[in-house]
Amino acid sequence: MDRWQAMRIFVQVVESGGFAPAAKALHMSPPSVTRAVAQLEGLIGTRLLIRTTRSLKMTAAGEGYLADCRRILAEIAEAEANAAGSFTAPAGLLTVTAPALFGRIHVLPVILDFLDAYPAMQVKTVFVDRVTNLVDEGLDVAIRIASLPASGLIARRIGSVRQVLCGSPDYFARFGEPGSPHELAGHRIIGREGLFGHSEWLFGRDSSIRIPISPRLICNTNDAVLSAAVAGWGLSRFQSYQVEADIRAGRLKVALADYEREPVPIHIVHAEGRMVSARVRAFVDFAAGRFLRHAGLSTEL
């Protein structure tokens, strides 16, 4: 068995969670799959997997080798597609990741239109509220809402979002609207666990105003925070895309707009390589065009 096939089997074993399910996915016998991984370990000279009767775990060497295998196999697939003349014809599987709520609201509609435009394409979404690693996790394209550090990734800016403080008109009618960030101490605050679950909020273009917060309600999802704010219970901070529809419908109102921080850029990101596959290039161009025309992804609300 050649090394390319052994690498492919190894990746499938890890992704399937075992030798038997990998064998089924590859239409091979379980002993053949087990033998292929053992031969690969012998060729490399180190253990990649730790096998027990109940579990399968990767060694430290296996984790690093898995990332290299995924990268090499992807490059082989693209080289074959290029040689076959399909480099300019988008086809195959594309994996797209984005923050969960942004993915549902803005990315999914773009994907649906993209699939209609390119019938030979298949798209898998990974909408999660964490920073993903494109190479290690086998992802093709990411939508990132952040100022990006220097990396080996190619990024195209497609818009920006504001971080806004919101409350319902009913809340402001009952408790008043804060005139400055320092008045938040007298208001009901809705907090959120995780990425935005901080003990202080920053205000001002240069983030120089630091306001301690003590939420009486802490939610573990953006949807729950939004529901509580729309219900009029208290105030919370959101990225502007999360509340765009509620603001336009009058269910929420922005407060302290003069004290907002610098808008956060939105980028569409993909891995840099010797050649960009037709499916990645087609999706990036398609999505960028859609996002750049979207008024809600500017700094206005």
Side-chain angles (χ1 to χ4, degrees), residues 106-173:
H106 290 297
V107 180
L108 186 58
V110 173
I111 289 173
L112 298 181
D113 289 344
F114 176 76
L115 289 171
D116 286 340
Y118 295 95
M121 286 295 305
Q122 178 185 17
V123 176
K124 176 183 177 182
T125 64
V126 181
F127 294 159
V128 291
D129 290 323
R130 62 177 176 83
V131 178
T132 53
N133 186 301
L134 269 64
V135 176
D136 290 351
E137 299 183 51
L139 306 170
D140 295 304
V141 178
I143 310 298
R144 299 248 165 101
I145 304 175
S147 296
L148 300 180
S151 69
L153 301 176
I154 299 174
R156 184 187 301 188
R157 183 163 177 163
I158 55 174
S160 61
V161 296
R162 293 158 51 193
Q163 191 174 45
V164 294
L165 178 73
C166 290
S168 73
D170 178 63
Y171 176 87
F172 291 131

Side-chain angles (χ1 to χ4, degrees), residues 192-193 219-226:
R192 125 189 345 95
E193 288 183 337
C219 303
N220 69 326
T221 68
N222 288 322
D223 286 338
V225 176
L226 182 58

Side-chain angles (χ1 to χ4, degrees), residues 55-278:
S55 66
L56 184 71
K57 296 182 179 179
M58 280 189 293
T59 63
E63 290 179 354
Y65 190 66
L66 176 66
D68 290 336
C69 285
R70 284 173 167 160
R71 174 181 53 79
I72 291 168
L73 293 173
E75 289 182 354
I76 290 173
E78 291 185 5
E80 291 176 343
N82 188 28
S86 62
F87 185 68
T88 58
L93 175 64
L94 182 81
T95 306
V96 179
T97 183
L101 188 57
F102 187 85
R104 177 173 62 80
I105 294 174
H106 290 297
V107 180
L108 186 58
V110 173
I111 289 173
L112 298 181
D113 289 344
F114 176 76
L115 289 171
D116 286 340
Y118 295 95
M121 286 295 305
Q122 178 185 17
V123 176
K124 176 183 177 182
T125 64
V126 181
F127 294 159
V128 291
D129 290 323
R130 62 177 176 83
V131 178
T132 53
N133 186 301
L134 269 64
V135 176
D136 290 351
E137 299 183 51
L139 306 170
D140 295 304
V141 178
I143 310 298
R144 299 248 165 101
I145 304 175
S147 296
L148 300 180
S151 69
L153 301 176
I154 299 174
R156 184 187 301 188
R157 183 163 177 163
I158 55 174
S160 61
V161 296
R162 293 158 51 193
Q163 191 174 45
V164 294
L165 178 73
C166 290
S168 73
D170 178 63
Y171 176 87
F172 291 131
R174 293 166 60 203
F175 299 101
E177 185 174 335
S180 76
H182 298 284
E183 295 180 14
L184 289 176
H187 284 267
R188 293 179 172 184
I189 301 299
I190 306 167
R192 125 189 345 95
E193 288 183 337
L195 186 60
F196 299 106
H198 303 143
S199 60
E200 63 180 10
W201 283 346
L202 305 182
F203 291 87
R205 287 282 171 167
D206 59 356
S207 301
S208 60
I209 304 174
R210 311 175 75 94
I211 303 298
I213 60 167
S214 181
R216 289 186 58 205
L217 174 63
I218 301 173
C219 303
N220 69 326
T221 68
N222 288 322
D223 286 338
V225 176
L226 182 58
S227 294
V230 169
W233 189 87
L235 306 179
S236 194
R237 297 184 87 176
F238 302 91
Q239 291 184 331
S240 52
Y241 76 86
Q242 298 171 331
V243 292
E244 176 190 355
D246 291 298
I247 291 172
R248 296 191 187 282
R251 292 184 291 268
L252 289 176
K253 178 183 176 182
V254 175
L256 301 180
D258 291 341
Y259 293 90
E260 288 176 11
R261 300 168 68 187
E262 192 72 24
V264 180
I266 308 171
H267 294 91
I268 185 166
V269 177
H270 62 89
E272 186 175 12
R274 290 181 293 106
M275 55 183 174
V276 178
S277 70

